[in-house]
Amino acid sequence: MSGAFKLKYEGSKPIANLDIDIWKDGQRVDSIGWIGDVFYSPDEQKNNEIEVIISTDMVSIGEKDESAIIKVGIVNRSGTDLTTFHIPWEKKLAARGLIQDAEPRSFTADQAVYVFGMQATSSNTIRTSDLSTESLSQTEWALVFTLQFEA
């Protein structure tokens, strides 16, 4: 499963980190990691727009254990970066779907913002969701990507 979204800033460059959290039964329960300063450019070239591409691959280890490999690619004017994260996966979570915004939205750098998610259920059904706290509180299991800004 994969998806993508674009981020763009106006004004001075923010230090924006992309946190990746696991939610269970509508609550944030664990962090699997984060990617720091997503607008960074090694050559001082202005990267005010990036595309973030996310995919998950399921890997079976024996008969009982299964894992998910989360791949996060960032594309900008300087090139591309790829980061991978490895998490345990419950086989009962058979149905999977994306949680993303259909329309562009604007926000300020004074608060954390949910920017993307993936959900899974053991009931083999998926409820259409968005990135609001209310909608995320209805998920059985979700991987939520949050943009956090440093002061």
Side-chain angles (χ1 to χ4, degrees):
M1 177 171 25
S2 62
F5 59 94
K6 288 186 179 184
L7 293 171
K8 180 180 179 179
Y9 69 87
E10 294 177 2
S12 59
K13 180 188 154 316
I15 297 177
N17 302 322
L18 189 62
D19 292 352
I20 308 166
D21 299 317
I22 294 175
W23 289 49
K24 289 185 180 176
D25 299 319
Q27 305 254 339
R28 182 192 171 279
V29 295
D30 198 10
S31 172
I32 68 164
W34 58 280
I35 299 171
D37 199 4
V38 295
F39 291 107
Y40 171 78
S41 175
D43 58 5
E44 298 301 317
Q45 185 177 17
K46 187 176 180 182
N47 279 326
N48 68 326
E49 183 172 313
I50 62 171
E51 183 172 14
V52 181
I53 304 166
I54 299 165
S55 73
T56 58
D57 293 320
M58 298 305 154
V59 178
S60 293
I61 305 167
E63 290 182 24
K64 293 185 179 181
D65 297 327
E66 194 165 27
S67 296
I69 298 172
I70 314 300
K71 297 176 186 175
V72 182
I74 297 179
V75 181
N76 59 39
R77 291 182 186 164
S78 301
T80 59
D81 292 314
L82 179 66
T83 306
T84 60
F85 300 90
H86 191 101
I87 61 171
W89 187 261
E90 298 175 41
K91 281 190 175 186
K92 70 177 185 174
L93 298 172
R96 296 183 283 269
L98 299 178
I99 307 171
Q100 59 188 5
D101 287 321
E103 298 294 325
R105 61 185 169 133
S106 296
F107 48 86
T108 58
D110 60 352
Q111 61 185 354
V113 180
Y114 302 133
V115 291
F116 190 80
M118 296 179 172
Q119 66 171 316
T121 69
S122 59
S123 64
N124 218 23
T125 59
I126 289 288
R127 168 183 274 140
T128 302
S129 298
D130 60 33
L131 294 165
S132 67
T133 303
E134 180 183 339
S135 187
L136 290 172
S137 73
Q138 303 292 318
T139 58
E140 179 180 347
W141 186 96
L143 189 65
V144 179
F145 295 78
T146 307
L147 200 61
Q148 300 268 7
F149 299 94
E150 291 184 23

